[in-house]
Amino acid sequence: MRALIVEKGEDGGTRAAVREIAESRLPESEVRVAVEYSTVNYKDGLCIGPGGGLVRSYPHIPGIDFAGTVEHSSDPRYEAGDKVVLTGWRVGEAHWGGYAEKASVRADWLVPLPPGLTTRAAMAVGTAGLTAMLAVMALEDHGLKPGHGPVLVTGAAGGVGSVATAILAGLGHEVAAVTGRPEQAEYLRDLGATQIVPREDLSEVTRKPLESESWAGCVDAVAGAMLGRVLKQMKYGTSVAAVGLAGGAMIEGAMVTPFILRGVNLLGIDSVMQPYANRLRAWQRIVRDLPMEKLEAMVVPATLADLPRLGAEILKGKVRGRIVVDVRA
């Protein structure tokens, strides 16, 4: 089978290349899947490159999500011919992942392909889209409704941000999209953003305990100084769903004042270890609430051979929307 293999050299550096390897090298597990599509996420960029502390051992096959067809299953929940999706569970990090024509995984890590989606569409959604929907659901669970005011999306041109923008706009929210790439403004407006916020407007660290109340909710993929600033601008009783840390793990300039004087909530969104029932709920909402024509507009097609380049580009913030990798091409 063909796979993207990442190997570590004697100098400690890593090299990634597409190679032919024997299927017998796959780990023993309950379900073997013929992989059709995967995607490129920030974690994939780390695992293709330096590892970022995520990869346990080499050689390694990255790919934190995939969709395909079951070839064999020792678990009664799945049988040959079933279409399945995998996201999370440290697949592609601690376990061999989806950048290969075959994958061997635990049944608990899979969900059935949602009715109404193809395997390609499922990976156009992928981990990023699932995370975006989990964030929207969390904001709704804490009171967000259309008409409450603009909802901010940081890192809006990235994978999570693109899907979050399309979902929120489709649900009737006014979406303010934050980007440091002015050339992406038209793309974001096509996804439904009604306001483009330049990244520099929110990147400065300030000592003010609070700022003017501006946002009815926020999906934040950046963290760092931007999250510290956004928290001070949230309306009373609203919430920020934190999904990423592209701007750093620290919340620079943050104070406790937004939490105790405005009742602001900071909601942590994890898609890796989500319980099965909530995964299904999120996928059902995706089928219902993510405009498929908007999803298709985000897609950039790729093959296994493109992955070393794309892994480096996503770490530099140069990737827009959703990359869908046809592992068979």
Side-chain angles (χ1 to χ4, degrees):
M1 69 177 194
R2 293 169 64 250
L4 183 78
I5 305 293
V6 182
E7 297 177 301
K8 180 168 283 190
E10 294 181 1
D11 60 357
T14 57
R15 288 175 289 278
V18 179
R19 303 187 188 282
E20 291 278 350
I21 66 168
E23 288 185 34
S24 59
R25 293 183 62 182
L26 287 171
E28 288 291 329
S29 201
E30 298 157 350
V31 185
R32 182 164 295 196
V33 179
V35 179
E36 297 168 17
Y37 296 97
S38 185
T39 68
V40 179
N41 302 275
Y42 192 85
K43 282 185 178 179
D44 294 314
L46 292 173
C47 294
I48 292 169
L54 301 176
V55 179
R56 287 182 177 176
S57 61
Y58 293 89
H60 181 65
I61 298 177
I64 67 169
D65 49 20
F66 63 79
T69 304
V70 172
E71 287 192 334
H72 170 77
S73 176
S74 61
D75 187 287
R77 287 173 287 180
Y78 298 101
E79 59 184 31
D82 288 347
K83 299 289 187 179
V84 292
V85 179
L86 183 144
T87 61
W89 302 109
R90 299 210 65 199
V91 170
E93 305 171 38
H95 314 284
W96 279 12
Y99 292 165
E101 292 178 319
K102 311 281 184 180
S104 182
V105 295
R106 292 182 55 186
D108 286 344
W109 297 344
L110 298 167
V111 297
L113 180 72
L117 287 184
T118 63
T119 52
R120 181 181 181 277
M123 282 299 97
V125 176
T127 296
L130 180 68
T131 303
M133 180 53 80
L134 290 168
V136 172
M137 288 163 48
L139 292 175
E140 291 174 343
D141 290 344
H142 285 77
L144 178 66
K145 294 181 180 179
H148 284 185
V151 180
L152 194 71
V153 178
T154 70
V160 176
S162 293
V163 179
T165 297
I167 291 172
L168 288 164
L171 290 170
H173 293 280
E174 178 186 350
V175 180
V178 183
T179 183
R181 296 180 278 175
E183 69 276 10
Q184 303 301 339
E186 183 177 354
Y187 165 76
L188 292 168
R189 289 192 179 95
D190 287 345
L191 293 181
T194 55
Q195 180 182 351
I196 306 299
V197 180
R199 181 169 58 196
E200 56 268 24
D201 286 3
L202 293 170
S203 58
E204 182 183 357
V205 176
T206 70
R207 294 184 177 275
K208 296 179 181 178
L210 293 171
E211 298 184 37
S212 298
E213 297 183 45
S214 300
W215 316 115
C218 175
V219 176
D220 175 60
V222 177
M226 187 172 294
L227 178 54
R229 191 79 183 275
V230 167
L231 286 168
K232 299 173 186 180
Q233 297 180 4
M234 299 303 296
K235 292 186 176 185
Y236 187 90
T238 58
S239 302
V240 176
V243 303
L245 38 69
M250 302 296 291
I251 308 177
E252 300 171 42
M255 298 182 183
V256 73
T257 42
F259 307 118
I260 61 174
L261 295 183
R262 286 188 182 160
V264 172
N265 304 297
L266 181 58
L267 312 174
I269 307 300
D270 168 64
S271 66
V272 176
M273 307 301 290
Q274 276 288 321
Y276 181 78
N278 211 39
R279 287 174 186 269
L280 287 184
R281 177 183 169 221
W283 279 108
Q284 290 164 358
R285 285 289 307 275
I286 286 165
V287 172
R288 189 186 83 188
D289 295 327
L290 175 57
M292 289 298 116
E293 71 279 5
K294 302 292 187 185
L295 180 65
E296 186 59 34
M298 303 175 201
V299 171
V300 178
T303 67
L304 289 177
D306 297 320
L307 289 171
R309 171 181 57 84
L310 292 169
E313 288 182 358
I314 199 168
L315 295 181
K316 296 176 182 178
K318 294 183 177 180
V319 167
R320 184 183 86 174
R322 302 291 299 127
I323 298 171
V324 177
V325 183
D326 186 343
V327 305
R328 305 159 299 179

